Amino acid sequence: MEKIVDYISDKMGLAFEKAGYEASYGKVTVSNRPDLCEYQCNGALAAAKQYHCAPIQIAKAVAEKLDAADYSLVEAVMPGFINLKLSGAF
């Protein structure tokens, strides 16, 4: 059985690809700051080195490619984190 975090990571990987980056940067983890979000992706920070682009620009581009119906919160925050909260529909 697939874990939710793996399923979300797959969706995040697709969003990275749609934004023009490698899907491997789409790994999602449970947030260590539950006051801010449930899940987070730090892949934009690593991708910035390879693509020579500001992490926040990558995070914003990827966040725009996510299916908004799956999340009650999708935000790209400095320096390049993507914070997520799942929607009730998810």
Side-chain angles (χ1 to χ4, degrees):
M1 182 198 282
E2 189 175 33
K3 295 179 182 177
I4 289 177
V5 73
D6 294 332
Y7 183 72
I8 300 168
S9 290
D10 290 343
K11 287 181 162 274
M12 184 68 71
L14 290 173
F16 266 87
E17 282 185 336
K18 288 178 184 175
Y21 306 103
E22 289 181 30
S24 61
Y25 290 113
K27 181 169 173 36
V28 173
T29 59
V30 174
S31 176
N32 58 0
R33 294 283 312 271
D35 55 317
L36 299 177
C37 60
E38 297 170 336
Y39 300 94
Q40 67 186 43
C41 177
N42 305 335
L45 298 170
K49 294 175 187 173
Q50 179 179 343
Y51 292 98
H52 306 289
C53 185
I56 191 66
Q57 290 177 319
I58 294 172
K60 286 179 180 179
V62 171
E64 290 176 3
K65 301 297 182 187
L66 290 168
D67 183 355
D70 289 339
Y71 308 98
S72 63
L73 170 75
V74 174
E75 66 179 352
V77 296
M78 292 295 285
F81 302 110
I82 302 172
N83 292 341
L84 306 167
K85 287 186 181 180
L86 299 179
S87 70
F90 182 88

